[in-house]
Amino acid sequence: MEDIIFNKKFLEIDNVSIIDNVNKNGFFFFEGALNQKFVQKIEEDLSNKDFGLNVNTTNPVYTKAQYFFSNAMTASKEYFNLITSKKIFSIAKTKYNKDFRLKAQRYYETKYGNYMPWHADNVDNNGVLHKNDGLIMIIYINDVFDGEFQLIEGSNLKIDENKRDVNYIADNYVEENYKDNIKSFKGKSGSIIIYDTWHFHRAKPIKDKNFVRKSIFLQIDNSDRNAEKLLLTPDFFNEEKFKNIELLKFLGFGNVSDFASIPAGTIKNLPNKQIIKLTKLLSLTIIKNIIKRILIYLKLRN
Ligand SMILES: O=C(O)CCC(=O)C(=O)O
């Protein structure tokens, strides 16, 4: 299974050396860590799907310049296999040994017009700062040579934490103080970046109006405090996985998962394109319903 997901060269890298890089520099980067066929299947399963309206399925959420599939674990077996893979789990285990769990995961797409400030991730979903360590992995699902992930090397907020009561910094502050320390991670699809949550990072704003960046985000915290709600599809578990207590604990079985997924999907978030599509669909449905009613009425009268 692992060699279907990851390429041989990535699997051969010792987890200790991955974590050494994260500990020393704040990040580890490997271009094309996942096999192309596998990445393509994830894209096919999760990209370009409709948001849900009066349906029993799990669906993505649209915002003005992003698309989030937080329940992707239910919708793509390949995505599920990646998040529950031995490699991902063993990298986290190498870093934390115990008391670590999946805090959040999502497939997401980012477009021109999205703005993300420089920030660190020592904050929970309610915006409250905390001191737990965490590891984040970002995997590119298409070639990313615009709007790539960036991290400020040496900006470990943990060292600096008492000086700050917020987890973000202004762009001009970064320009003045950290310009030479910015690492940019351009890479082809299947590339992986693994980084420490205490480092300042962001997605660089996209320049090309037609480019859509497709990625996976997963966060593992060294704490069993609340995580985002996790929906699963039982038939994606093989026997080895559902008997693996360590894996089930990693997923949060038997523990609280009280944070809502990010972002909260509301009608207000919908981009105009989706609102127009929805309006057309609803108008058409109303017209069809009225015509049907009239026909039934006429039939009953005769
Ligand atoms: O998408 C990226 O490059 C960064 C994502 C990130 O920092 C976040 O979601 O907190």
Side-chain angles (χ1 to χ4, degrees):
M1 167 87 79
E2 296 292 297
D3 58 348
I4 294 174
I5 306 175
F6 302 103
N7 79 39
K8 204 164 162 265
K9 285 205 173 111
F10 178 65
L11 285 175
E12 277 167 8
I13 298 178
D14 184 9
N15 293 334
V16 174
S17 111
I18 294 178
I19 294 306
D20 276 352
N21 274 282
V22 172
N23 291 343
K24 219 185 305 155
N25 309 318
F27 65 89
F28 167 86
F29 175 64
F30 193 97
E31 187 157 26
L34 273 71
N35 291 325
Q36 284 307 302
K37 238 179 144 178
F38 190 83
V39 170
Q40 277 160 15
K41 182 69 174 72
I42 289 186
E43 182 181 11
E44 212 178 287
D45 286 347
L46 300 174
S47 182
N48 206 21
K49 303 291 173 213
D50 280 333
F51 58 91
L53 190 72
N54 204 24
V55 291
N56 283 323
T57 48
T58 53
N59 297 75
V61 163
Y62 286 77
T63 65
K64 299 286 180 246
Q66 283 192 290
Y67 166 104
F68 292 86
F69 210 142
S70 300
N71 292 318
M73 290 278 260
T74 64
S76 167
K77 189 165 181 182
E78 275 69 18
Y79 179 88
F80 171 87
N81 283 340
L82 168 66
I83 306 291
T84 57
S85 65
K86 285 188 183 141
K87 186 70 176 170
I88 300 263
F89 181 87
S90 59
I91 292 170
K93 190 165 167 97
T94 305
K95 171 102 171 118
Y96 298 123
N97 191 33
K98 61 184 178 72
D99 300 332
F100 61 93
R101 74 175 279 197
L102 186 64
K103 193 222 159 201
Q105 49 66 43
R106 65 188 80 109
Y107 169 87
Y108 64 108
E109 297 182 356
T110 310
K111 286 194 208 160
Y112 174 83
N114 185 61
Y115 172 74
M116 179 181 276
W118 289 98
H119 65 283
D121 283 326
N122 57 316
V123 64
D124 68 23
N125 289 31
N126 298 324
V128 180
L129 293 190
H130 63 69
K131 295 187 179 193
N132 301 314
D133 291 331
L135 207 56
I136 291 182
M137 301 187 194
I138 288 185
I139 295 157
Y140 293 154
I141 300 301
N142 61 352
D143 293 344
V144 176
F145 295 98
D146 185 6
E148 69 274 13
F149 175 78
Q150 296 185 305
L151 178 140
I152 302 174
E153 203 172 358
S155 66
N156 193 333
L157 189 58
K158 192 161 190 175
I159 297 168
D160 226 14
E161 66 181 310
N162 295 327
K163 291 188 216 144
R164 293 184 189 280
D165 53 6
V166 289
N167 71 321
Y168 51 86
I169 38 175
D171 292 357
N172 57 359
Y173 185 85
V174 173
E175 197 56 30
E176 281 158 26
N177 295 279
Y178 292 122
K179 200 174 170 205
D180 298 332
N181 300 21
I182 298 174
K183 291 262 162 209
S184 278
F185 299 90
K186 292 184 171 163
K188 61 182 186 195
S189 77
S191 299
I192 189 166
I193 307 132
I194 303 174
Y195 63 98
D196 186 283
T197 49
W198 290 99
H199 287 69
F200 283 115
H201 60 272
R202 70 167 184 177
K204 191 177 179 185
I206 291 175
K207 288 200 191 105
D208 178 351
K209 287 190 175 161
N210 298 315
F211 178 64
V212 178
R213 187 188 128 185
K214 303 181 179 184
S215 331
I216 288 171
F217 169 101
L218 70 107
Q219 179 169 351
I220 297 160
D221 272 9
N222 191 197
S223 142
D224 61 6
R225 75 193 176 84
N226 286 12
E228 285 186 11
K229 276 204 179 308
L230 179 65
L231 304 187
L232 294 166
T233 295
D235 31 321
F236 288 172
F237 281 84
N238 59 23
E239 194 166 340
E240 189 188 341
K241 284 188 181 170
F242 81 71
K243 287 188 173 159
N244 183 344
I245 299 291
E246 260 194 325
L247 176 68
L248 299 187
K249 283 196 166 165
F250 170 71
L251 295 177
F253 277 69
N255 221 324
V256 186
S257 302
D258 252 4
F259 291 145
S261 296
I262 292 177
T266 73
I267 292 281
K268 283 187 205 155
N269 278 346
L270 280 179
N272 290 341
K273 196 175 159 194
Q274 258 61 36
I275 296 178
I276 291 168
K277 202 172 154 188
L278 180 63
T279 310
K280 275 188 189 161
L281 182 73
L282 292 180
S283 310
L284 212 70
T285 310
I286 291 175
I287 293 168
K288 275 187 187 164
N289 284 349
I290 293 173
I291 293 174
K292 234 192 248 170
R293 286 272 185 121
I294 294 173
L295 289 177
I296 291 172
Y297 176 75
L298 291 175
K299 211 173 164 190
L300 287 177
R301 271 191 53 188
N302 293 332

